[in-house]
Amino acid sequence: MPRIAGVDIPANKQVQYSLRYIYAIGPHTARLVLKEAEIEPDVKAKDLTEDEVSRIAGVIDRNYQVEGAARRAVTANIARLRDIGCYRGLRHRRGLPVRGQKTRSNARTRKGPKKTVAGKKGVKEMHRG
């Protein structure tokens, strides 16, 4: 298994897909990295030479924030939104969807398991007729 940016990437997949196992590298970024490192995207990761692996690692180190640094940046951005008290920050603070989704029927991923609220019991009146 080749190791790039401190992450073991799958050896028997194409490099363009293997690179996505690194946090903060998606499809587009993976293609850009391979283009700059001058490596074919459809080569299997196990077939890369040490030189090619080091070229990929160099491109990533120079141009991209990945793994721990990227996670810290995301956490800092969310903390900033919370501190300034903007709408998105309030949604993060309350654990609700941030990007405008409806919450009446869905949003279980953000809201967690259902919390049943006691509703009004149907009171049946006895009436004489």
Side-chain angles (χ1 to χ4, degrees), residues 6 9-10 12-13 15 17 21 33 41 58 62-63 65 72 77-78 88 94 96 99 109 112-114 119 122 127 129:
I9 62 172
N12 48 352
K13 292 190 178 195
V15 188
Y17 301 118
Y21 283 73
V33 166
R62 260 196 325 274
N63 303 331
Q65 232 182 14
R72 280 190 296 280
N77 288 337
I78 292 173
R88 282 171 57 203
R94 293 180 185 153
L96 292 169
R99 298 186 177 179
T109 302
K114 284 186 179 176
H127 54 270

Side-chain angles (χ1 to χ4, degrees), residues 6 9-10 13 23-24 26 28-29 32 35 38 44 47 59-60 62 64 66 76 85 88 97 104 107 111 118 121 128:
I9 62 172
K13 292 190 178 195
Y23 184 83
H28 182 69
T29 309
L32 290 176
K35 189 173 187 178
E38 297 174 357
K44 296 278 175 118
D47 298 334
V59 169
I60 290 173
R62 260 196 325 274
Y64 300 100
V66 293
R88 282 171 57 203
R104 183 169 175 163
K111 289 163 66 173
K121 292 271 183 179
R128 297 176 189 188

Side-chain angles (χ1 to χ4, degrees), residues 2 4 9-22 25-27 30-31 33-34 37 39-49 52-53 56 60:
I4 299 174
I9 62 172
N12 48 352
K13 292 190 178 195
Q14 292 179 10
V15 188
Q16 63 179 336
Y17 301 118
S18 291
L19 284 178
R20 297 185 199 181
Y21 283 73
I22 300 170
I25 292 191
R31 283 192 299 274
V33 166
L34 293 173
I39 296 168
E40 290 296 318
D42 51 355
V43 174
K44 296 278 175 118
K46 64 184 173 194
D47 298 334
L48 291 174
T49 64
E52 290 172 330
V53 170
I56 291 172
I60 290 173

Side-chain angles (χ1 to χ4, degrees), residues 22-25 65-83 88-89 92 98-99 110:
I22 300 170
Y23 184 83
I25 292 191
Q65 232 182 14
V66 293
E67 288 300 319
R71 292 178 203 273
R72 280 190 296 280
V74 169
T75 305
N77 288 337
I78 292 173
R80 180 182 54 82
L81 291 172
R82 287 177 174 175
D83 292 344
R88 282 171 57 203
H92 274 292
V98 177
R99 298 186 177 179
R110 284 290 294 182

